[in-house]
Amino acid sequence: MTTQTILPVDSQAVAEASKARQEPEWLTDLRVQAANLAESLELPKLEKTKLDRWDFSSFGTYSKPQSLASVSDLPEQVKSLVNETNIIVQRNSGAVYHKLSEQIANQGVIFTDLETAVREHGDLVRPYLGKAVDAGENLLTALHSVLWSGGVFIYVPKNVNVEIPLQALFLSDDSAASFSPHVLIVAEANSSVTYVENFTSTGAGKLVQNGVTEVFVKPGANVQVASVHNLGEGVTDLTYRRAIVENDARVNWVVGEMNEGNSMSDTTSVLKGNGSFSDAKVICVGTQDQKLNLTTRAIHFGLNSSSDMITRAVMKDNSTAIVNGITKIEKGATGANGQQTERVLMLSPKARGDANPILLIDEDDVKAGHAASVGQVNQEQVYYMMSRGISRDEATRLLIYGFLAPVVSEIPIAKLEEQLQSMVERKLGQ
């Protein structure tokens, strides 16, 4: 598949569309630059995955959103996913609902859609937008920089602790409309915030979701990001998540990849500061003929920086998963400690899983370790549970949930944790 067959824009059309949406000139320039880059860039090269065989023909076109008066106006199947307040809802190309409590707003916290933020808070957005995930990295990041719309912007001032999770729902129910949100989180020194997002879709049309999340964690700050993707079979899901973590700061990732279609995700923490810390927990369930490529990465620059990564994949039917864990410790990152675990559980003889732990160490005085396994449900454990009066099916079900529990239990909103559990049950046919 050539670049020309998937390039949905040209620079002149990009400039006109940006001006029509009344975007600031600096953002129009960024979009045009990205469009020019896209003409020469290639798809990313992934471990054992040929992206050029995936369907990238349906990026959709921008559709102006129609605001909702209340979350009760959302489709029935997604109402249960959202709260009434501290929420942004994006439907297809843009935000349709936004509500922030006065308590949090009075702390100086900004929580709005990114399209609004570039107009009203450009001085805060411009220094960070595209600085963690650069448009020039590959064709997908360039196309995202051209096409993103809606999205989320969170700004937490210095020394402010946001105790209530901020939530976003990204809903696609029109496959002709573009669906490429950009999430930008900036947590100033010694602040803290939890952000929870849910991606879901309805309908059977083909679409490419090409999203990016950028997180900037300033000294002493603490950011937790929980992301659940539950997009339909016709949606190709492409997601880059990246955090820049400064001195004594912390980022926690909790990711549930519950899509029905092909999915590629890259969740990276750049431990720039001394004493910085990253914890990443990722699960996925593959069914039918799904192809999944999941990368979790920690890059250590800071002294005494620490990272921990856990990835669990359950594969059924003819699905395939490539699970990569990458710990990179740069020269000078003395005292760094990077640990990772990748485990794949296969429930079908035709399912395929590949766990790839990778350690890249350029410094002597460090600690690094990995564990990886690919296998089936332990039949000795099944027989033991059956000897205690539990049926074979129930025993297998409990073992699978125990396998995924380290991630599911970390979802910071109880309602969403329950929803993720039900997604797992649905995908496993239970």
Side-chain angles (χ1 to χ4, degrees), residues 32 42 81 148 209 234 238 358 361 427:
V32 170
E42 298 181 352
L81 299 178
W148 74 262
Q209 192 289 128
L238 312 167
I358 301 171
I361 314 298
K427 290 209 73 177

Side-chain angles (χ1 to χ4, degrees), residues 116-424:
T116 297
V118 296
R119 293 190 297 267
E120 299 182 359
H121 307 285
D123 57 328
L124 294 176
V125 174
R126 188 174 182 181
Y128 300 102
L129 184 63
K131 297 301 189 294
V133 180
D134 188 87
E137 292 185 19
N138 58 60
L139 178 55
L140 297 181
T141 57
L143 288 177
H144 171 84
S145 296
V146 173
L147 298 173
W148 74 262
S149 60
V152 168
F153 177 64
I154 297 174
Y155 177 82
V156 185
K158 183 177 180 180
N159 298 323
V160 170
N161 296 318
V162 182
E163 298 180 356
I164 301 172
L166 305 180
Q167 188 179 4
L169 170 66
F170 298 103
L171 168 64
S172 170
D173 58 3
D174 179 3
S175 59
S178 61
F179 188 55
S180 296
H182 190 111
V183 176
L184 178 59
I185 302 172
V186 180
E188 295 286 7
N190 302 311
S191 67
S192 67
V193 66
T194 295
Y195 166 70
V196 180
E197 65 181 18
N198 195 297
F199 281 70
T200 189
S201 67
T202 61
K206 291 185 177 181
L207 182 65
V208 177
Q209 192 289 128
N210 184 12
V212 166
T213 296
E214 299 183 292
V215 183
F216 295 86
V217 194
K218 298 302 182 69
N222 187 337
V223 176
Q224 182 170 9
V225 178
S227 178
V228 177
H229 283 224
N230 179 33
L231 298 169
E233 184 178 355
V235 182
T236 299
D237 187 20
L238 312 167
T239 302
Y240 283 93
R241 308 177 185 94
R242 196 166 301 168
I244 310 298
V245 190
E246 299 190 16
N247 291 344
D248 300 314
R250 179 184 183 112
V251 65
N252 290 64
W253 301 99
V254 182
V255 178
E257 302 286 5
M258 297 290 111
N259 296 315
E260 301 288 346
N262 292 345
S263 303
M264 182 282 294
S265 74
D266 183 310
T267 304
T268 297
S269 298
V270 180
L271 299 173
K272 179 181 176 182
N274 299 335
S276 54
F277 179 84
S278 167
D279 183 275
K281 294 182 173 67
V282 181
I283 64 168
C284 74
V285 177
T287 58
Q288 302 303 321
D289 296 316
Q290 267 189 286
K291 293 177 176 58
L292 309 173
N293 189 294
L294 311 178
T295 297
T296 311
R297 181 187 290 105
I299 306 173
H300 294 251
F301 289 95
L303 301 175
N304 301 307
S305 53
S306 298
S307 66
D308 192 23
M309 300 183 290
I310 296 175
T311 304
R312 302 284 173 93
V314 178
M315 310 306 294
K316 282 186 62 179
D317 307 321
N318 297 312
S319 59
T320 301
I322 307 299
V323 178
N324 305 301
I326 304 173
T327 302
K328 177 73 168 75
I329 300 181
E330 301 287 352
K331 183 68 176 175
T334 305
N337 184 0
Q339 305 296 326
Q340 58 168 283
T341 303
E342 294 83 41
R343 301 196 186 281
V344 181
L345 187 64
M346 293 185 293
L347 305 183
S348 163
K350 293 184 178 180
R352 292 292 179 267
D354 196 345
N356 301 309
I358 301 171
L359 301 178
L360 305 171
I361 314 298
D362 289 334
E363 180 58 53
D364 295 329
D365 184 13
V366 300
K367 295 179 181 179
H370 66 77
S373 67
V374 177
Q376 298 177 336
V377 174
N378 189 316
Q379 292 303 311
E380 290 184 0
Q381 293 177 337
V382 173
Y383 295 147
Y384 174 81
M385 296 174 73
M386 291 174 64
S387 72
R388 297 297 187 268
I390 299 173
S391 70
R392 177 184 293 274
D393 288 345
E394 180 65 9
T396 301
R397 186 184 74 85
L398 290 173
L399 288 171
I400 292 171
Y401 293 154
F403 178 77
L404 297 175
V407 179
V408 176
S409 62
E410 293 294 319
I411 294 292
I413 294 180
K415 186 161 56 175
L416 192 57
E417 180 184 346
E418 295 170 2
Q419 187 70 20
L420 180 57
Q421 184 80 6
S422 68
M423 291 175 190
V424 172

Side-chain angles (χ1 to χ4, degrees), residues 18-140:
S18 180
K19 291 174 182 176
R21 285 154 61 182
Q22 298 181 327
E23 294 180 340
E25 185 176 349
W26 63 266
L27 180 55
T28 301
D29 291 341
L30 287 180
R31 292 194 189 273
V32 170
Q33 291 169 16
N36 292 330
L37 284 171
E39 294 179 358
S40 59
L41 291 172
E42 298 181 352
L43 290 167
K45 292 178 172 58
L46 304 181
E47 182 77 17
K48 300 180 181 179
T49 299
K50 296 184 181 298
L51 278 182
D52 57 354
R53 297 181 180 177
W54 291 20
D55 187 354
F56 294 123
S57 62
S58 306
F59 282 86
T61 56
Y62 179 81
S63 176
K64 186 175 180 179
Q66 301 296 319
S67 296
L68 298 179
S70 167
V71 293
S72 62
D73 295 330
L74 287 167
E76 288 294 331
Q77 62 267 39
V78 297
K79 286 181 183 179
S80 62
L81 299 178
V82 298
N83 297 319
E84 290 287 342
T85 189
N86 303 318
I87 177 79
I88 289 175
V89 178
Q90 175 168 335
R91 191 172 192 176
N92 302 312
S93 300
V96 296
Y97 182 81
H98 167 228
K99 190 171 185 180
L100 180 65
S101 69
E102 289 188 11
Q103 174 188 354
I104 295 177
N106 290 338
Q107 292 179 286
V109 175
I110 299 171
F111 177 52
T112 186
D113 67 278
L114 187 56
E115 283 193 84
T116 297
V118 296
R119 293 190 297 267
E120 299 182 359
H121 307 285
D123 57 328
L124 294 176
V125 174
R126 188 174 182 181
Y128 300 102
L129 184 63
K131 297 301 189 294
V133 180
D134 188 87
E137 292 185 19
N138 58 60
L139 178 55
L140 297 181

